[in-house]
Amino acid sequence: MAHISILETLDDLCIKPSIISGTSMGAIIGALYASGMSGKEIREHISRILISKDDIWRDIVAKRSDLLNW
């Protein structure tokens, strides 16, 4: 999620990187950003599928299903 905060800051400053690269989760976030999603859109999307400690079993099953569809 730290990557997303940087992208949101770049969006706020109207700075568009000419090259995006990353490894592991950074590559996934970079690919989403390169596809045209804003930092805010990426945060909202990842938050919908990320399992948190407050989720109950039903939430986890629903998020797992959404992640498989993604």
Side-chain angles (χ1 to χ4, degrees), residues 14-66:
C14 297
I15 297 173
K16 294 292 181 192
S18 58
I19 298 173
I20 299 173
S21 67
T23 304
S24 192
M25 190 60 183
I28 294 170
I29 299 299
L32 292 172
Y33 195 68
S35 75
M37 293 178 76
S38 69
K40 181 180 177 184
E41 290 171 327
I42 295 170
R43 177 179 300 281
E44 291 169 354
H45 185 73
I46 296 296
S47 295
R48 281 195 303 269
I49 62 174
L50 192 67
I51 296 172
S52 71
K53 66 179 182 171
D54 297 327
D55 286 338
I56 59 174
W57 182 248
R58 183 178 17 172
D59 298 332
I60 294 170
V61 171
K63 287 181 180 184
R64 181 179 174 271
S65 176
D66 288 344

